[in-house]
Amino acid sequence: MDLSRVKTLLIIAFLGLNLFLGYKLWFGRLSLGQGSVLGNGQVEEARQLLSEKGFELQAAIPRQIPQLSLLIVSRRQKEPAYWLQLFFAGEEYTAENAEGGRLYLADGASLLIRKNGQVIYKKEPDDGDAEAETAESYLQEQGLWNDGLKLDLLYPVSEDVVCHRYVGSFQGFPLFSCATEVFLQDKQVVEVRINPLVPLGFSENKVTAISALVAVKIFVAAGHNFSERKIADISLGYYSPSYDASSWEAAPVWRIAAADGRAFYINAFSGDIESYE
């Protein structure tokens, strides 16, 4: 056997293998890209699709098509004493079991703490001489405000009740499942809904998200017609239902929201419809 020839063939084979793997690695990364953007024509196509279905677009269509990862989240629930101190400080209250949790009752107010971590506080409106409130100042005074909260949507619930919806954020992305909603009636807070969700960090693998144009096409094809024909927001963030687990992965989603607060969520990886609420 010619050992020198064998060595030469092995060297050539290994070199070819390295070139092949390098090619796959390089072009595999390029296939994900560094993130691209929609062109003017594609943005106009998205607008036209919505217009043809009778929707009035009141928001910008995002152009970015970034690489994203799954987001690991957790429900780190606070003890009932924490919420009771915030909402019923110094007040007497009674407690009873309620569907999905525990209900606390005080004079003219109620506090429902559900097992999934959701907190719902309701109170009767103050008399006509009470000082007008704003949602943000109320959250700050109650110790419920943090710098991660961002105003998400503002929409009417009835003739005299308006919802101010705030969401948490993580590294610039809104967390649609981590919401604090403040309901004002005649400029007085009458209800607060809190869905706490704690972001723990991103998973390692990144995938290029579908574009806003693709999301609009999915929305239009699904045929879910909002009763409110004004589109108030189209944005990319994270959404997940609540699970009975210490932590889980939330998928990036495109959310298309109407001016009345209704929202349509599309998985930004698969294009599957995640929720319509």
Side-chain angles (χ1 to χ4, degrees), residues 22-233:
Y23 174 88
K24 294 292 289 184
L25 180 61
W26 176 254
F27 283 93
R29 287 175 178 172
L30 287 181
S31 67
L32 292 177
Q34 298 302 315
S36 55
V37 296
L38 290 178
N40 292 334
Q42 292 171 306
V43 171
E44 184 57 36
E45 181 182 354
R47 290 197 185 105
Q48 187 64 30
L49 285 170
L50 291 170
S51 178
E52 289 173 356
K53 293 296 182 179
F55 290 105
E56 178 186 341
L57 184 60
Q58 298 181 326
I61 295 177
R63 293 174 177 266
Q64 293 295 323
I65 311 173
Q67 287 185 329
L68 296 173
S69 301
L70 296 171
L71 178 63
I72 303 170
V73 297
S74 174
R75 290 260 191 218
R76 293 179 180 171
Q77 298 186 26
K78 298 182 182 297
E79 293 296 326
Y82 172 84
W83 300 112
L84 289 166
Q85 177 62 30
L86 285 179
F87 291 106
F88 289 166
E91 296 185 47
E92 294 185 357
Y93 60 84
T94 59
E96 60 186 55
N97 290 327
E99 184 177 357
R102 188 83 167 155
L103 179 65
Y104 300 86
L105 302 170
D107 185 22
S110 66
L111 177 65
L112 175 62
I113 303 176
R114 288 182 168 156
K115 295 178 180 178
N116 65 1
Q118 185 186 43
V119 175
I120 301 175
Y121 171 71
K122 296 181 180 181
K123 73 181 185 72
E124 297 176 359
D126 296 326
D127 58 53
D129 297 328
E131 184 178 349
E133 297 175 299
T134 66
E136 186 170 328
S137 65
Y138 175 85
L139 293 175
Q140 291 174 340
E141 291 170 3
Q142 291 295 118
L144 295 168
W145 181 261
N146 65 74
D147 292 338
L149 284 180
K150 306 294 182 184
L151 181 61
D152 179 40
L153 294 172
L154 179 67
Y155 59 91
V157 178
S158 62
E159 290 185 2
D160 58 349
V161 177
V162 177
C163 177
H164 298 245
R165 188 175 194 269
Y166 297 83
V167 297
S169 61
F170 186 71
Q171 295 191 15
F173 289 99
L175 308 179
F176 298 123
S177 302
C178 180
T180 297
E181 297 175 310
V182 182
F183 297 81
L184 272 69
Q185 179 177 331
D186 298 327
K187 298 183 180 180
Q188 296 295 317
V189 174
V190 294
E191 184 175 348
V192 179
R193 292 175 173 259
I194 303 172
N195 289 288
L197 194 68
V198 180
L200 302 179
F202 292 112
S203 62
E204 293 184 1
N205 296 328
K206 292 185 178 182
V207 178
T208 301
I210 64 175
S211 69
L213 172 58
V214 174
V216 167
K217 288 180 178 180
I218 294 170
F219 169 71
V220 169
H224 289 289
N225 289 326
F226 292 138
S227 56
E228 172 58 71
R229 309 300 290 179
K230 297 178 181 179
I231 302 298
D233 180 69

Side-chain angles (χ1 to χ4, degrees), residues 256-274:
I256 300 176
D260 63 357
R262 299 295 299 274
F264 189 85
Y265 298 92
I266 302 164
N267 190 299
F269 287 164
S270 66
D272 294 334
I273 298 169
E274 291 284 341

